[in-house]
Amino acid sequence: MEKKRLALRKLMEAVEKEILRKPDKKTLDRLSLLAGFQSWEDFQEALHGE
């Protein structure tokens, strides 16, 4: 039973680490396209008014 708990804890730590990881530029650019912008930089400019 203890081995299962340890395995589950390690799995949860790996999942949490992956969730908290910052997405790469390619992913951010694709998300920006869904929002109607050409790139992540264009989205940031529109969002922050630069």
Side-chain angles (χ1 to χ4, degrees):
M1 185 70 154
E2 187 62 33
K3 287 183 181 181
K4 288 183 181 181
R5 286 184 183 165
L6 182 59
L8 181 58
R9 183 180 305 141
K10 286 184 179 184
L11 176 62
M12 289 302 297
E13 288 172 0
V15 168
E16 288 173 353
K17 184 178 178 182
E18 187 66 25
I19 289 172
L20 295 175
R21 188 176 63 114
K22 184 179 178 184
D24 61 2
K25 184 175 180 341
K26 186 177 180 180
T27 302
L28 294 173
D29 283 340
R30 288 182 178 169
L31 289 172
S32 298
L33 285 172
L34 288 173
F37 297 90
Q38 293 298 314
S39 68
W40 179 248
E41 289 81 18
D42 291 343
F43 175 73
Q44 289 294 306
E45 286 178 22
L47 187 65
H48 297 294
E50 295 177 356

